[in-house]
Structure formats: C-alpha cells, structure tokens
Amino acid sequence: MARVLPVVVALILTVYALIDCLQTDSARIRMLNKAVWVALIVLIPVIGPVLWLAAAKHRAGPRPAKPVTPPRAPDDDPEFLRQLRNLDDEHEQLLNDWEASLRRREEELRKDDDGDNPPEPPQRPDSSSEEELGKRSDSGDDDVR
C-alpha cells in the first residue's frame, strides 16, 4: 500500500493538471504555449504538473470587494414607501373619478326620468324565438368549428 500511494497521487495530480491545462484559455497561459505545457505535464510525472499549477497561469487579480449593505425590510426602504404613497394617491384619484362619473350618470338618469319618456322595461323574446334558441343549443349541429 505504501508503494502504491505515491504513484496514485502522482497520477491524480497529472490528470488534474492535464485537464486544467487543456481547459485553460491560451491567452491566460504564460511562459510557454499550451502544447509545450501538455508535453511537460505528461512527460515529467510530478514536476510538470506542479510547475503548471504553480507558475503557468495568469492568476486573476483580487476581486473587488462588494459593498456590504444589510438587507432592508420593505417598510424601512424609503423608495418602496414612496412608491406605495404614489400608488395610494393614484388609486384615490381613480376612485374619485369613478365616483364623479357615477354621480354624473345618476344625475343624467334622474333628468331623463323627470321627462315624459319613462324607461321601457326590457322586452322578453317571443316564445317562437325561445323555441328556436332551445333547438339550436340542443342539436349541436349548428356549432361548426
């Protein structure tokens, strides 16, 4: 077991470095080109993969720190509260417009009722047309799609 462990570690290191080398963009590789690095990794068992992992790639610079802002509850966010206030104002205005329109229509109806033209009750269709409608709805042949 003690003799096999270094071989397994070297094999795993070589496979990892080879896959990493093949997947790395050529623009990020420094010193040698990709084909030479692949040859070094495969031909020099432990040193090639270690060199690849240690020195071959340009490392990305440190990431800029994200500004840490604590999460806000909606009732602590002034922008959210402003939007709610605007929404309330819009709804209030819409409701007032509806009420004014309803009052105006009621006044128009009262004026019409005061005149000599009483509103006529809705007329019922005669019985023959009701029978015709019943036949159409029952037969199903009239419904062509």
Side-chain angles (χ1 to χ4, degrees):
M1 177 72 179
R3 285 189 244 168
V4 177
L5 187 61
V7 174
V8 171
V9 170
L11 185 63
I12 291 172
L13 184 64
T14 302
V15 169
Y16 176 78
L18 184 62
I19 291 172
D20 188 39
C21 179
L22 293 174
Q23 289 182 345
T24 301
D25 186 23
S26 297
R28 290 192 60 210
I29 298 175
R30 61 179 169 183
M31 293 186 217
L32 306 170
N33 64 16
K34 192 183 273 193
V36 175
W37 277 112
V38 169
L40 284 174
I41 292 170
V42 172
L43 296 176
I44 305 173
V46 175
I47 297 170
V50 170
L51 284 174
W52 166 256
L53 295 173
K57 291 193 302 185
H58 286 288
R59 301 287 179 214
R63 293 183 180 172
K66 293 181 182 177
V68 178
T69 56
R72 285 184 171 173
D75 57 346
D76 291 339
D77 187 7
E79 181 62 29
F80 178 76
L81 294 174
R82 189 175 311 111
Q83 288 175 353
L84 283 181
R85 217 172 302 119
N86 291 343
L87 245 158
D88 286 344
D89 293 342
E90 290 173 14
H91 287 161
E92 188 69 29
Q93 180 63 37
L94 185 63
L95 186 60
N96 289 338
D97 291 345
W98 283 347
E99 287 176 352
S101 173
L102 180 62
R103 278 190 221 108
R104 183 178 35 82
R105 283 188 257 149
E106 286 176 347
E107 286 297 319
E108 289 173 0
L109 286 175
R110 281 189 200 126
K111 287 179 185 177
D112 289 345
D113 286 345
D114 291 343
D116 58 346
N117 295 333
E120 295 182 14
Q123 296 180 358
R124 288 186 45 142
D126 59 342
S127 62
S128 62
S129 63
E130 285 181 8
E131 291 174 8
E132 180 67 27
L133 288 175
K135 289 178 184 176
R136 284 188 185 173
S137 65
D138 291 340
S139 66
D141 294 338
D142 296 335
D143 192 30
V144 178
R145 293 184 192 245

